[in-house]
Amino acid sequence: MVATLLHEVPLQGGDVTDGVVRVGDTVRRPASTSTPAVHALLRHLEAAGFDGAPRVVGMDGLGREILTYLPGRTGLRLESVTDEALAGLAGLVRRFHDATTGFPLSGRGWDGGSNDDRAPEVIGHCDVTLENVVFREGGPATPYALIDFDLARPTTRLFDVVTTLRHWAPLADPVDRAPLLRTVDVGARLRLFCDAYGVEPRERRRLLELARLRFHRSYAVMRTRAATGGNWAKMWAGGAGERIRRATAWLDVHEDELHAHLV
């Protein structure tokens, strides 16, 4: 009864999860099979002192998870594509990975998805899109938090770096990039991110190989999920598979040039 009296403001931006709303200083999200694992992770991050993620409040009377609302701006704008913003994001992802140290890497109900073949090292966010990074309002364009951990899972540091660079370098055919990112120097941005994160030289040599593997596996995962309907089917019908194929072809053409920036 109380829940129906609360003022709910729909929050837009995500591709997969519908029904996300803001209620005062909280966010209400539909629960999924991965919610218990995500809540355990968020509580671990809080205990570790990582301030770049929402806090778990609990569940409401409608069975939705309740998280703290993180003020700021998300999405693509001029200030979010600067070198300073990219370096800040690399530092944020590094701090997140470091904060997951000690969290169990097995035995929890993660939703799964494409992944590296190597043994997991950390819990990766695995969905650091432009919409899932929160920038502070006013002052320098500083990314200070990650949101939407629904696709988080055990993985390697490099795999999560690759998933982040897919959107932020971006590793994509120019025809599929937002206008502000269409003409950027992708190789320079790869190097900048790796420098700011602290990606080791031997891992940089593997980055593009892993990006290609991720493209191949993401295509297969998305096609399988699209067959179940819902938002995955909408994304597939909207050309998600074709965008992955174009990104793979673009990487094939530009691999030597990008590799030179990394090594």
Side-chain angles (χ1 to χ4, degrees), residues 43-125:
R43 291 189 173 104
H44 171 89
L45 294 174
E46 181 177 9
F50 178 73
D51 59 0
R55 304 306 190 205
V56 177
V57 178
M59 305 293 289
D60 70 10
L62 300 178
R64 301 176 298 187
E65 61 173 334
I66 309 174
L67 305 172
T68 55
Y69 173 76
L70 300 180
R73 293 183 291 180
T74 63
L76 183 67
R77 57 184 68 77
L78 188 60
E79 62 268 26
S80 63
V81 300
T82 64
D83 288 352
E84 293 75 16
L86 186 64
L89 176 62
L92 175 62
V93 173
R94 176 61 188 258
R95 289 195 298 111
F96 162 63
H97 287 165
D98 290 348
T100 69
T101 300
F103 188 82
L105 297 179
S106 62
R108 296 186 181 273
W110 304 106
D111 274 351
S114 58
N115 217 328
D116 198 346
D117 285 330
R118 297 190 178 181
E121 303 164 331
V122 296
I123 301 296
H125 184 283

Side-chain angles (χ1 to χ4, degrees), residues 142-219:
T142 304
Y144 82 96
L146 304 173
I147 57 175
D148 191 354
F149 286 76
D150 286 356
L151 298 183
R153 54 188 178 271
T155 188
T156 61
R157 289 176 181 267
L158 188 63
F159 185 86
D160 210 20
V161 165
V162 166
T163 65
T164 302
L165 289 171
R166 167 77 169 105
H167 304 285
W168 289 86
L171 291 171
D173 188 298
V175 72
D176 295 316
R177 301 179 200 165
L180 287 175
L181 290 168
R182 197 156 289 154
T183 60
V184 297
D185 186 337
V186 174
R189 287 174 66 82
L190 292 178
R191 184 181 185 94
L192 174 63
F193 188 99
C194 288
D195 286 347
Y197 181 96
V199 179
E200 296 180 1
R202 68 176 182 274
E203 292 292 270
R204 297 186 193 207
R205 294 186 178 92
R206 184 172 171 258
L207 191 150
L208 299 178
E209 170 193 338
L210 186 56
R212 183 175 286 101
L213 179 66
R214 181 188 179 277
F215 286 144
H216 174 72
R217 291 180 174 173
S218 292
Y219 184 93

